[in-house]
Amino acid sequence: MTRVLVVVAPGFNLAATMGFIDPFRAANYLDGTLYFKWDFVSEDGGYCIASNGAGINTVALGDVDAADIVVVSTSWTPEKHVTQKTGNALRQWARSGATLGGLDTGAFILAWAGLLKGRRATVHYEHIDAFQELYPDVNVVENLFVLDGNRISCCGGNASVDFGLQIVKGVCGSALANAAARYIFHDRLRGPSDLQQPQHSEPLGSTVPAKLRAAIQEMEANLENPIPVPEICKKAGISHRQLDRLFGTYIKKTPALYYRDIRLDRARGLVTQTELPIAEVAVASGFASQVHFSRAYKERFGLPPTRDRVDGRVPFEFRAWPMHRKSKG
């Protein structure tokens, strides 16, 4: 039997957490064998409320001991849930040989505890920039999930089901993993090489012209050191006039305004998810002047970055500003 502990913190993503566990339930049921046993754990135990207002009962951290797999499931503001008690428990499990994992933003807590140095890991794409800035000694990637020996991580969402099925496959074999996937109507098992935002993926079936997509990719690859729009046109193989027309049709913004906005979107993630000085955030987002940065930030988000650093850390419904990872060159 494989013992799994899921360590949750207030505001965790309930759907991702349950999606991760469900393949274990299906595997046990289909073979009539207790291959997996799991418990939900929190620092103090009791009822833990998720980001959608629902909740689960948890066991206190001090009341559990041995485990084969320990996965930390957090979402918004993971730094609020980093305590010495949690860190000590994770390090003790690491010393005992347990596999440690992170779900959604759980890798932040593993990295804080010093358990991801020199490893590959992933988090939800919205938090990748912040993770990269805070933990440069971790190779953060944009894959759905990462299996790096006894350190594993997943971006959350529906990818949590693939993550759980991958564990079933490793423990019980492909046949039972396939049967479990069919049982929970998961028609394709995505692997560690699949990306969070694959190219040419349009969930609603709409398409964006290739030249426009190429121009946007150039912008996203050059956030810290913006390049002129004419150079973007040259790299994308399109005239400035054509690019203006495509942006007007599909994006409803000019190329310059869109480029500025995605740099500000990145800045907002760094403002609300890290403690980097505002001046450093401005530079990391391609703004040479902090005054210009603060003015543009307020224009886009309705409040200056210094205030958003306080107000923006409080989660609210439907907040999901897109993040754009800076290029590693």
Side-chain angles (χ1 to χ4, degrees):
M1 185 183 69
T2 298
R3 178 80 189 281
V4 181
L5 296 180
V6 182
V7 182
V8 299
F12 73 100
N13 187 292
L14 184 66
T17 304
M18 296 305 158
F20 170 65
I21 290 297
D22 213 33
F24 307 151
R25 174 193 65 85
N28 287 351
Y29 169 75
L30 290 170
D31 257 16
T33 302
L34 193 63
Y35 291 117
F36 298 92
K37 185 178 186 300
W38 56 91
D39 284 299
F40 299 105
V41 181
S42 65
E43 185 158 307
D44 298 318
Y47 193 67
C48 188
I49 299 177
S51 59
N52 63 358
I56 57 173
N57 288 315
T58 65
V59 180
L61 197 60
D63 293 338
V64 294
D65 43 33
D68 300 296
I69 301 173
V70 180
V71 172
V72 181
S73 179
T74 57
S75 187
W76 284 103
T77 60
E79 76 279 359
K80 287 185 176 180
H81 312 295
V82 176
T83 69
Q84 203 58 49
K85 185 176 180 180
T86 300
N88 288 342
L90 291 171
R91 285 185 283 267
Q92 178 58 43
W93 278 313
R95 286 191 293 270
S96 71
T99 293
L100 300 183
L103 192 59
D104 199 337
T105 63
F108 277 83
I109 293 181
L110 296 182
W112 171 85
L115 297 168
L116 288 179
K117 288 181 181 178
R119 301 293 194 114
R120 294 172 71 247
T122 193
V123 293
H124 190 285
Y125 73 88
E126 191 170 19
H127 302 270
I128 282 179
D129 281 332
F131 191 96
Q132 190 174 48
E133 293 289 341
L134 290 171
Y135 302 107
D137 57 352
V138 181
N139 180 19
V140 61
V141 296
E142 297 183 65
N143 300 57
L144 290 176
F145 59 91
V146 171
L147 308 175
D148 188 353
N150 58 0
R151 298 292 183 271
I152 59 179
S153 51
C154 174
C155 65
N158 288 336
S160 302
V161 180
D162 300 275
F163 192 43
L165 286 167
Q166 196 75 31
I167 293 172
V168 172
K169 180 181 176 183
V171 172
C172 304
S174 295
L176 186 56
N178 278 324
R182 285 195 299 270
Y183 185 75
I184 60 178
F185 302 105
H186 200 70
D187 62 358
R188 184 174 79 88
L189 177 56
R190 296 174 291 181
S193 62
D194 285 89
L195 298 176
Q196 294 182 27
Q197 302 289 337
Q199 289 188 354
H200 312 303
S201 173
E202 302 293 343
L204 297 182
S206 58
T207 58
V208 174
K211 298 287 187 182
L212 177 57
R213 190 187 301 275
I216 290 174
Q217 287 172 346
E218 287 297 330
M219 293 177 181
E220 292 177 343
N222 294 277
L223 296 178
E224 188 166 347
N225 297 295
I227 59 178
V229 173
E231 186 175 339
I232 291 172
C233 294
K234 183 178 179 180
K235 288 177 177 290
I238 190 173
S239 72
H240 202 317
R241 185 174 180 180
Q242 287 176 309
L243 189 66
D244 283 341
R245 185 162 56 247
L246 288 176
F247 264 91
T249 300
Y250 291 93
I251 311 296
K252 310 303 180 185
K253 293 180 180 180
T254 65
L257 181 58
Y258 178 84
Y259 198 5
R260 187 206 70 164
D261 283 352
I262 63 172
R263 286 157 51 214
L264 287 169
D265 291 343
R266 177 172 197 269
R268 191 173 207 201
L270 297 177
V271 166
T272 59
Q273 297 168 21
T274 76
E275 297 295 341
L276 286 174
I278 299 300
E280 290 186 25
V281 172
V283 171
S285 307
F287 290 87
S289 165
Q290 188 174 337
V291 173
H292 178 213
F293 167 68
S294 295
R295 186 182 301 120
Y297 193 102
K298 184 175 181 180
E299 179 184 333
R300 177 150 175 73
F301 302 119
L303 71 176
T306 50
R307 183 174 151 209
D308 201 20
R309 171 148 282 177
V310 177
D311 295 352
R313 287 185 182 274
V314 180
F316 56 93
E317 279 188 307
F318 310 123
R319 171 180 165 180
W321 300 107
M323 295 290 290
H324 304 276
R325 183 182 178 189
K326 70 178 182 181
S327 173
K328 285 188 174 181

